Amino acid sequence: MEAMLKISGAFKTFGRGTANEHQVLRGLDLELKAGEFVTLLGSNGAGKSTLFNAVCGNFLLDEGSIWLDGEDITFQPEHRRALKIGRIFQDPMKGTAPSLTIEENLALAYSKQKKRSFSLAMGRKDREYFRQALSAFGMDLENRMGTRVGLLSGGQRQVVTLLMSTLVSPKLLLLDEHTAALDPAAAEKVMEITKEIVNRAQITTMMITHNMKQALETGSRTLMLDGGNILLDIDETERRGMKVEDLLELYSEKKKAEFQNDRMLLA
């Protein structure tokens, strides 16, 4: 099966030639099959958000290539990639227009994804489609379509953002710690809805999380980034029955082996 996302030899350095020079991505290679749901772990500065930014086109790579569904998007501008890539951030305030209603936000997202002219106008068919989509989440949002999004709770807002990103299934969905800012009950509900949407539409998905237990239980594959590259790549079979303690031990062993190899090279 051809990869839905293929990243080859990705390098990115910020502040090149200055005292603050920092190499964030170091020759990273990654492939995701169509419909695959991958969770992404790593400490601060490991390169997780930089990887997402590179895929979305927030900046161009110094070296390397990015392919999406067989198309080379390495040099595509951000606005063109946004038609094919959905991204949800940690901050529930991002991704929506707070002064517009739920249905107006959905209408804008829908017209963008359908590549139609931007419009807040909706026909009866579209409005019913939005209502049915919202009702599936059991949060009564279908009866609040005239409510401004800025008046919603964080969890409700993330659900609206999630629906906006998947009304027309994107080729790739990037979840950037999208439940981290929510209270535990809301986070659990949003995660439940996320899995339902992704599984139903078989959307190729990458999710950044700091919750190791969640990373081992969500999707079918877990990656751990370290120093701008993939340190661990754990498939569904290897991950089955794995506990957080097992993951930490695996990480420690891998880091120790890398350290010893580096010492041998330096010697």
Side-chain angles (χ1 to χ4, degrees):
M1 182 185 295
E2 187 175 348
M4 175 58 73
L5 176 68
K6 183 176 181 179
I7 302 171
S8 301
F11 284 88
K12 185 63 186 179
T13 299
F14 294 109
R16 186 182 294 276
T18 72
N20 296 320
E21 180 173 314
H22 179 45
Q23 190 174 36
V24 189
L25 298 179
R26 303 168 182 262
L28 186 145
D29 295 319
L30 175 63
E31 287 192 20
L32 267 66
K33 297 175 184 175
E36 195 168 19
F37 190 161
V38 172
T39 55
L40 203 60
L41 288 165
S43 59
N44 291 333
K48 304 183 301 299
S49 291
T50 301
L51 174 61
F52 275 22
N53 289 337
V55 171
C56 289
N58 298 140
F59 52 73
L60 297 180
L61 293 173
D62 298 333
E63 295 179 44
S65 63
I66 303 173
W67 290 71
L68 184 65
D69 196 20
E71 179 185 9
D72 187 352
I73 64 169
T74 308
F75 299 105
Q76 268 191 14
E78 185 178 359
H79 70 274
R80 283 190 59 191
R81 300 191 203 192
L83 297 173
K84 298 165 275 196
I85 300 172
R87 185 174 183 179
I88 303 177
F89 295 88
Q90 176 178 339
D91 185 356
M93 300 300 284
K94 287 186 177 181
T96 56
S99 62
L100 298 182
T101 65
I102 292 176
E103 66 178 27
E104 287 170 342
N105 272 277
L106 293 175
L108 282 173
Y110 194 54
S111 63
K112 169 189 166 186
Q113 292 177 355
K114 282 291 188 180
K115 300 180 182 178
R116 302 186 300 199
S117 58
F118 287 95
S119 173
L120 295 177
M122 284 187 301
R124 181 182 299 175
K125 186 177 179 181
D126 286 344
R127 185 173 283 108
E128 185 56 32
Y129 172 53
F130 298 159
R131 185 179 297 278
Q132 288 180 359
L134 288 167
S135 67
F137 304 143
M139 299 180 75
D140 199 41
L141 291 172
E142 69 276 14
N143 295 317
R144 300 185 62 186
M145 287 176 59
T147 301
R148 290 184 180 181
V149 170
L151 299 177
L152 300 178
S153 69
Q156 291 170 331
R157 190 161 183 159
Q158 284 296 58
V159 169
V160 173
T161 307
L162 188 59
L163 183 57
M164 288 171 64
S165 298
T166 57
L167 275 169
V168 178
S169 294
K171 293 182 182 295
L172 178 67
L173 179 62
L174 302 177
L175 305 172
D176 198 345
E177 295 190 80
H178 71 306
T179 63
L182 306 177
D183 65 73
E188 186 176 348
K189 181 65 176 177
V190 170
M191 197 64 241
E192 178 186 317
I193 291 170
T194 300
K195 292 176 182 177
E196 179 186 330
I197 290 175
V198 169
N199 290 336
R200 183 174 66 240
Q202 287 295 292
I203 303 170
T204 309
T205 304
M206 271 201 294
M207 181 181 80
I208 294 175
T209 178
H210 281 294
N211 186 323
M212 291 189 180
K213 186 173 184 292
Q214 185 183 65
L216 291 173
E217 294 176 349
T218 305
S220 57
R221 181 177 165 201
T222 298
L223 304 178
M224 182 172 282
L225 263 63
D226 184 81
N229 221 323
I230 297 172
L231 183 70
L232 295 175
D233 187 345
I234 308 168
D235 64 24
E236 189 169 18
T237 303
E238 186 182 2
R239 209 180 65 163
R240 194 173 295 127
M242 182 177 281
K243 298 178 181 178
V244 171
E245 294 80 8
D246 301 325
L247 179 61
L248 289 171
E249 184 177 350
L250 195 61
Y251 169 77
S252 180
E253 289 174 356
K254 186 73 172 177
K255 283 293 289 180
K256 184 178 179 181
E258 285 205 345
F259 177 69
Q260 289 173 341
N261 288 339
D262 289 343
R263 286 189 64 184
M264 288 174 66
L265 288 171
L266 289 171

